[in-house]
């Protein structure tokens, strides 16, 4: 029996709601940890190095398991695999607050695995299930992901201190959001169907042998490196320039809020054109101008610079996700998504470490700006390659 228009509309609406709720779950379990690290370190007797590893561990999970996520999607079907990812996120959140340091790290790693499965497979799922809404759905889920990353950071301390939940209760609270996403996602799982052509799981090319796939992956890697390096070291740079720690934190938050505008608009512009060279070049040049502004000490110049950079941070990640879908067909989309995110997160993990080592050696904060300028120019050049209207 064919579905009526009303039934199809209801089914599509439920799918869209589910995708957006899944996107809400992909960052708070990570970003909620940072503000609580001093409390966690004191409670569990962790060293600074081990406490800092809590923020690096999810990135390593992302990078490693991105390589296997497309295979999991091919085995289970993307819908079921995403459901499994949600359960892993919930399990990891629950386990990591139940005991000492071992469970904390184990749960964080498991949660990271669940996140990356969802992250990798949402792109091909949208392309197959909602091909007529790739732009708006990519905008919506990347914006939702970014927004709740900021929410996770902002609510950590109020939940722990203001509501008296402690660090364990504050981290555990996010399991409620994941549970809601699971409930909304369950109707998407067809009880008698594991996988099929409708999920784009058949065929696919070997992306590891494609020059374009490597260019897309490095493009993703450079934008990830800029984001995570700035998250780790930009506050120190701002404090070095005379801002207080509170002012630096506020400016970081505002920068991420501005990024929501870029995150939402970039895919909408990208899908309206057969080529994305101009938008990639434009974002790269705005990055470049923004980073040059950080060389100055005048507050108003720094405010403008961070506004430009914030917009680009949001625009570049959503553009990278959009390009994965636009440069591929069928099962190749999931494979490129896994490859690109793996390369991206490995580079993202190395960026903060490299800057930290350079700071220790030379005690020069301009090195951070120089590295970001190099990344911006590399991003711009690669944009002229990955923005061409060609398929892998």
């Amino acid at each position: 029996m064919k579905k009526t228009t009303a039934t199809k509309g209801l089914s599509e609406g439920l799918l869209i709601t589910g995708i957006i709720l899944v996107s809400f779950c992909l960052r708070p379990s990570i970003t909620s940890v940072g503000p609580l690290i001093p409390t966690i370190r004191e409670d569990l007797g962790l060293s600074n190095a081990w406490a800092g590893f809590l923020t690096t561990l999810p990135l390593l999970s992302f990078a490693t398991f991105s390589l296997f996520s497309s295979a999991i999607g091919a085995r289970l079907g993307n819908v079921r695999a995403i459901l499994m990812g949600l359960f892993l996120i919930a399990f990891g959140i629950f386990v990591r607050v139940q005991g000492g340091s071992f469970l904390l790290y184990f749960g964080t790693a498991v949660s990271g695995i669940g996140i990356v499965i969802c992250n990798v497979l949402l792109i091909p799922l949208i392309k197959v299930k909602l091909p007529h809404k790739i732009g708006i759905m990519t905008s919506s889920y990347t914006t939702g992901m970014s927004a709740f990353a900021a929410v996770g950071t902002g609510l950590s301390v109020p939940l722990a201190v203001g509501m008296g939940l402690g660090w364990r209760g504050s981290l555990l609270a996010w399991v409620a959001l994941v549970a809601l996403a699971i409930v909304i996602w369950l109707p998407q799982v067809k009880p008698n169907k594991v996988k099929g052509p409708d999920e784009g799981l058949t065929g696919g090319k070997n992306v590891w042998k494609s020059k374009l796939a490597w260019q897309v992956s490095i493009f993703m890697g450079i934008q990830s490196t800029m984001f995570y390096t700035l998250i780790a070291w930009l506050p120190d740079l701002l404090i070095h320039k005379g801002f207080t720690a509170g002012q630096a934190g506020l400016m970081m938050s505002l920068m991420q809020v501005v990024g929501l505008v870029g995150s939402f608009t970039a895919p909408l512009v990208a899908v309206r054109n057969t080529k994305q060279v101009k938008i990639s070049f434009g974002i790269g040049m705005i990055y470049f101008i923004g980073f040059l502004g950080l060389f100055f000490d005048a507050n108003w110049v720094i405010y403008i610079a961070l506004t430009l950079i914030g917009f680009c941070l949001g625009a570049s990640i959503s553009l990278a996700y959009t390009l994965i879908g636009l440069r591929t067909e069928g099962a190749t989309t999931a494979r490129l998504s896994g490859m690109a995110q793996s390369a991206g997160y490995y580079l993202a993990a190395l960026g903060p470490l490299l800057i930290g080592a350079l700071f220790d050696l030379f005690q020069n904060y301009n090195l951070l700006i120089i590295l970001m300028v190099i990344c911006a120019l590399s991003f711009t050049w690669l944009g002229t390659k990955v923005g061409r209207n060609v398929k892998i």
Side-chain angles (χ1 to χ4, degrees):
M1 182 180 294
K2 294 184 178 180
K3 292 183 178 180
T4 65
T5 302
T7 303
K8 287 182 178 179
L10 181 62
S11 177
E12 184 174 287
L14 194 60
L15 174 60
I16 291 172
T17 302
I19 290 171
I20 292 173
L21 277 173
V22 171
S23 76
F24 290 171
C25 299
L26 301 183
R27 289 298 179 268
S29 64
I30 302 170
T31 59
S32 60
V33 173
L36 298 174
I37 281 182
T39 306
I40 296 172
R41 181 179 58 212
E42 182 179 350
D43 186 37
L44 298 181
L46 301 175
S47 66
N48 286 324
W50 278 108
F53 187 61
L54 275 174
T55 58
T56 303
L57 181 57
L59 296 180
L60 296 177
S61 293
F62 292 171
T64 302
F65 284 90
S66 290
L67 299 172
F68 306 106
S69 296
S70 62
I72 294 171
R75 175 81 181 204
L76 300 178
N78 289 340
V79 169
R80 290 175 181 265
I82 290 172
L83 180 64
M84 183 184 79
L86 289 171
F87 275 111
L88 287 174
I89 296 171
F91 177 74
I93 291 173
F94 176 79
V95 166
R96 68 179 179 176
V97 299
Q98 299 305 312
S101 57
F102 173 78
L103 288 180
L104 176 63
Y105 290 106
F106 175 73
T108 298
V110 170
S111 184
I113 294 169
I115 289 170
V116 78
I117 290 173
C118 295
N119 220 25
V120 168
L121 297 181
L122 272 177
I123 298 171
L125 180 81
I126 290 172
K127 184 172 182 178
V128 174
K129 298 289 189 182
L130 300 166
H132 54 297
K133 294 183 177 179
I134 291 177
I136 187 64
M137 287 310 303
T138 304
S139 294
S140 298
Y141 100 77
T142 54
T143 302
M145 187 170 62
S146 300
F148 269 73
V151 170
T153 300
L155 288 184
S156 284
V157 174
L159 287 173
V161 179
M163 297 188 65
L165 299 179
W167 70 265
R168 296 179 190 272
S170 179
L171 295 182
L172 183 61
W174 293 105
V175 82
L177 178 62
V178 183
L180 176 61
I182 289 172
V183 171
I184 299 300
W185 195 256
L186 278 172
Q188 303 302 324
V189 180
K190 298 179 181 180
N192 298 315
K193 188 173 184 179
V194 175
K195 61 181 180 179
D198 63 310
E199 292 194 45
L201 302 174
T202 57
K205 298 179 180 178
N206 186 346
V207 292
W208 298 96
K209 294 182 178 181
S210 167
K211 180 179 179 180
L212 178 57
W214 278 105
Q215 290 170 340
V216 172
S217 297
I218 298 172
F219 186 80
M220 169 73 83
I222 290 174
Q223 71 82 23
S224 297
T225 300
M226 288 190 284
F227 176 79
Y228 285 102
T229 303
L230 289 173
I231 289 296
W233 291 110
L234 184 57
D236 286 61
L237 174 66
L238 295 176
I239 291 170
H240 177 72
K241 288 182 174 291
F243 293 90
T244 66
Q247 289 172 331
L250 178 61
M251 291 171 70
M252 291 289 292
S253 298
L254 292 176
M255 185 179 73
Q256 292 184 66
V257 171
V258 172
L260 298 180
V261 179
S263 181
F264 189 80
T265 56
L268 298 179
V269 175
V271 297
R272 290 178 181 173
N273 299 279
T274 56
K275 298 180 181 179
Q276 292 74 41
V277 173
K278 290 182 179 179
I279 183 175
S280 301
F281 185 85
I283 293 172
M285 285 294 95
I286 296 172
Y287 259 137
F288 179 71
I289 294 169
F291 288 133
L292 288 182
L294 294 181
F295 281 114
F296 296 88
D297 293 327
N299 287 2
W300 68 272
V301 176
I302 294 174
Y303 294 148
I304 294 174
L306 292 182
T307 300
L308 296 177
I309 293 168
F311 174 84
C312 290
L313 288 174
S316 59
I317 186 171
S318 58
L319 176 62
Y321 283 140
T322 304
L323 288 173
I324 290 172
L326 294 177
R327 298 287 87 91
T328 55
E329 294 178 346
T332 308
T333 304
R335 294 179 181 179
L336 179 60
S337 181
M339 175 184 176
Q341 293 192 57
S342 178
Y345 288 121
Y346 274 127
L347 283 173
L350 290 174
L353 293 176
L354 173 62
I355 287 297
L358 290 175
F359 281 169
D360 287 339
L361 286 173
F362 301 106
Q363 303 295 316
N364 188 343
Y365 282 89
N366 283 338
L367 292 172
L368 170 62
I369 307 174
I370 292 170
L371 176 62
M372 293 298 98
V373 168
I374 293 172
C375 285
L377 292 175
S378 301
F379 180 94
T380 305
W381 178 78
L382 279 169
T384 65
K385 304 297 181 183
V386 301
R388 296 170 298 159
N389 184 24
V390 291
K391 301 283 186 181
I392 293 175

